[in-house]
Amino acid sequence: MDSVVLELCYDGWWETLENSRMEYVNGKNRAFLVGKNYLFDQLLARVYEVLQINPNDYSITMKTTLRSSNTLYRICAMPMDICDDEMVRVVLHMASDVANFGCIPIFVTTSPRVPSEGIEPHVDTETSFRANMSGPDNDEEVLPRTISLQQYYSPIHDNYDNIDDNGVTLQDVGATVFPITTSLEQRYSPYHNYIFRDNDDFHNETEGDNVCAEPSNTTRGGTRFNNDGDDGGAGPSNVPSFQHEDECEDNTPVNNRGNRPIPSMVRSRRRIDPLTSVAPTLPSNMVAPSFVSSCDSDDISVGKLFAEKNEFILQLRKEYGVQLTYQQAYRAREVGLEIVRGNPAESYNLLPKYSHVLTTANEGTVTHLEQNGDGNFLYYFVALGSSIKGFMQYIRPVIAVDGTHLKGLYRGSMFVATCLDGNNQLYPLAIGIMDSENNDAWEWFMMKLHGVIGDRPELVIISDRCTAIRRAVLKVFHNATHGVCFYHVKGNIKSQFRMSKALWDQFEPAFINAAKAYGHEEFKRQLEGLWMIHSGAADYLENNVGTCNWARSQFEGRRYSILTTNIAESVNAFMREPRKFPVTHLVDHFRKTLQQWFYDRKIVAESMTTRLTTWADEIVTERRTIAERMIVRPVSPHRFQVIGGGLKEGLVDLQKRTCSCRVFQLDQLVCAHAIAACLTHRVDFINLCSDFYTTESLAMAYAQPVEPVGDVVDWEIPDEIQEMHVYPPVEAPPPGRRKELRIPSAGEDVDRRTVRCGRCHELGHNRKRCKNPIASTRS
């Protein structure tokens, strides 16, 4: 290989242990590649690139601990500086010998650059600087110039009493106040390029961190700060400077955390934010310095986009003196959303009016609203007339139903009933908004759905194994057949029987083949294989779930090619963001989506040049290729024996539109055997396919457009509807931020983030929960 792997450690600091050894604590780490022949300048540039640090604003120093792979890298007698090409060669040589030395760590420490400091490949860690600035307290206290990322990012500690305890007084600050009109109680920490993080992002606060502030000349975010009064009217400002962590003037004592200085006048044990420590609250009769007006007012405007949240926070802090906390931002976001989408509670009251306008604009649309005795919202159902008309004549009679949670203020659930059109595209039929998902809600939804489509012949309803859905289907749809999503059955098996990976890799494909099998004999073979692999799971499938519910060949009705509820879950997926909306906006988003789909798909259907839809034509074309290699032997004028083509022998009846392979009758698309018989006897096999797959039916399914409802100010509402009042659901919304990610179903494969312990470096737990013994480093 031309490269080696190094471990980059950052955001931590060095602590001196009782045995005079040093340990790197609370750091983050990541692996990165470097060339085997890198020199110091190349390694330094690579570290800047990996950490995404601007070399114009920060300098970095690098250290390493050369230990064997069976000891901890972070505990050593003394870390060694990586400061020249020879040391880089040593590090890369040892990194290439992974067996003996493992992954070599590179410990990075950052320090802000001063205006006079250039971009140098090597940072002189022994050189310090002082702010060239006059003032009564200029020679008393300094901040460490070189501090780790973790120290530099950390928020102010909670245990502060007053500004004097920090070694900074209003008399010290005097008239040179940094122009921020917020109090110290609002806690922020500097980030890259002096962007600020919310205190909620940090949980590593540790007592015993003492730093002190001193005024100086420096540059922040491209803006020059000085005390000369000639910065374009910006006025004077006190901004803390930084000194190397091993250096502090006046023989100031140091602590054991990276030898950071402990000023003699500091009495509180906490870390000070270099900016907020010199930003006390301005009295109401004081005017902020002119620095506020010197900022470009175009930085914040309507339509302005920021690369990240912290950039926006920085701009708010410089123009308006605003320190935006997480809770403030969240509340402001909620207010903004309410302005755009309306009040969530009032949205329920808008439903009757919206329903009236919707049904008036769209012929055949059905809506139902259910309230309790006190007028509180219970259930809402809507099925657009365009979808109803298309489903009743031109869509396969298979409906997938599913429920999902809403994410708005009042939570609730959304029920979905959807189908597939002849081009295998989603065709939503109806949705329901419920206060919760329960037996009564599902029964109410099914009753309203039955009122829309009635007892359509050969109707099939597919769902997961939710008992409430099955009970409602059997109670309401007496002539329909209920089927189970085989994917959910597979997840139930995986979670219930806990097979090993090797065993599951055998069981899963056998189960899928059994579920998708068309013929009875093929299904029996697959089921016998399941019994041989895992008898307990096979017994569960056959006797508990029932093969007639999940296996295509054993199903009493015709499921076509729809074996899962994936189509209903796909509707839930494209409604993921709208599920946060107030209820009326949620329903109207559903209408807007169908409005666009009906328009686009009708144009596409009318432009198709084949008699079958694009999706169906591709399937039939593939089967024709196989059929051309088959041999056909007549049995009677309408029955043929077909062999060859690499498929099992088939007996085709063109008059009854059946084949012994059962593909023809179950999918209603000609199978390869039927196509071979048609080619031999010059029969148009396209005419033998179901009308559901023709381009004509596809165009007719989208023939009736979905009409908009117009602006709310233009709605004409009758008095009896205008007087209706719908209040939010009875259950009050819970406090705190609303969850937006769903809980995975049992047995569902989810990519989870792997947690690595920062103490023992093993996977599966974090540092706080680590119980592994650590080898003693005492000599």
Side-chain angles (χ1 to χ4, degrees), residues 168-185:
V168 180
T169 64
L170 290 176
Q171 289 77 14
D172 295 332
V173 177
T176 58
V177 179
F178 189 75
I180 300 176
T181 59
T182 48
S183 64
L184 285 172
E185 284 74 15

Side-chain angles (χ1 to χ4, degrees), residues 22 24 52 106 109 149 188 226 255 258 274 336 388 472 551 578 588 627 644 658 694 708 738 741 751 766:
M22 299 187 70
Y24 191 78
Q52 297 182 350
I106 304 296
T109 303
L149 294 180
Y188 277 88
N226 58 52
N255 65 5
I388 298 172
D588 194 54
T658 62
T694 62
R738 298 183 289 278
L741 297 179
D751 294 332
N766 56 23

Side-chain angles (χ1 to χ4, degrees), residues 706-764:
V706 177
E707 300 292 340
V709 295
D711 195 282
V712 64
V713 298
D714 298 326
W715 290 357
E716 296 181 1
I717 309 299
D719 293 339
E720 61 272 14
I721 297 179
Q722 192 76 42
E723 295 173 357
M724 291 182 61
H725 294 284
V726 181
Y727 302 104
V730 176
E731 185 176 355
R737 177 176 175 175
R738 298 183 289 278
K739 292 183 179 180
E740 297 183 358
L741 297 179
R742 71 179 182 88
I743 300 175
S745 302
E748 184 176 354
D749 294 328
V750 179
D751 294 332
R752 299 185 183 276
R753 182 175 63 90
T754 302
V755 179
R756 182 184 295 274
C757 177
R759 179 172 173 266
C760 69
H761 311 294
E762 291 187 0
L763 299 176

Side-chain angles (χ1 to χ4, degrees), residues 401-564:
V401 296
D402 192 26
T404 185
H405 294 293
L406 298 179
K407 306 170 187 177
L409 180 63
Y410 292 94
R411 309 294 173 92
S413 298
M414 182 178 72
F415 294 172
V416 172
T418 189
C419 319
L420 285 179
D421 65 17
N423 204 31
N424 217 43
Q425 303 171 117
L426 295 177
Y427 195 89
L429 180 57
I431 64 170
I433 310 299
M434 311 293 164
D435 62 340
S436 63
E437 184 173 2
N438 50 53
N439 295 341
D440 293 338
W442 271 114
E443 183 176 337
W444 186 89
F445 180 78
M446 289 299 174
M447 289 177 61
K448 302 310 176 186
L449 183 62
H450 180 270
V452 169
I453 63 176
D455 292 317
R456 181 177 174 180
E458 299 182 344
L459 180 64
V460 173
I461 298 179
I462 302 175
S463 70
D464 55 19
R465 294 200 66 208
C466 176
T467 57
I469 300 178
R470 180 176 179 83
R471 183 184 297 110
V473 170
L474 297 179
K475 183 176 182 179
V476 176
F477 290 92
H478 302 290
N479 299 325
T481 307
H482 179 256
V484 174
C485 169
F486 84 85
Y487 183 84
H488 283 86
V489 175
K490 185 185 72 171
N492 293 339
I493 296 172
K494 187 175 182 180
S495 62
Q496 184 169 341
F497 291 95
R498 303 290 183 180
M499 303 180 193
S500 64
K501 186 179 185 304
L503 190 61
W504 178 253
D505 290 342
Q506 300 179 41
F507 187 91
E508 182 181 25
F511 169 73
I512 294 176
N513 292 335
K516 293 184 176 181
Y518 284 91
H520 294 291
E521 295 299 325
E522 180 185 359
F523 171 77
K524 290 180 180 179
R525 287 197 305 271
Q526 297 294 341
L527 187 61
E528 290 175 0
L530 292 177
W531 276 96
M532 295 178 62
I533 297 172
H534 197 292
S535 60
D539 180 72
Y540 171 81
L541 287 172
E542 192 169 2
N543 300 318
N544 191 321
V545 182
T547 57
C548 62
N549 291 316
W550 57 270
R552 171 160 46 191
S553 62
Q554 307 300 305
F555 192 70
E556 296 179 359
R558 183 184 291 123
R559 297 177 65 155
Y560 294 83
S561 58
I562 306 172
L563 303 179
T564 70

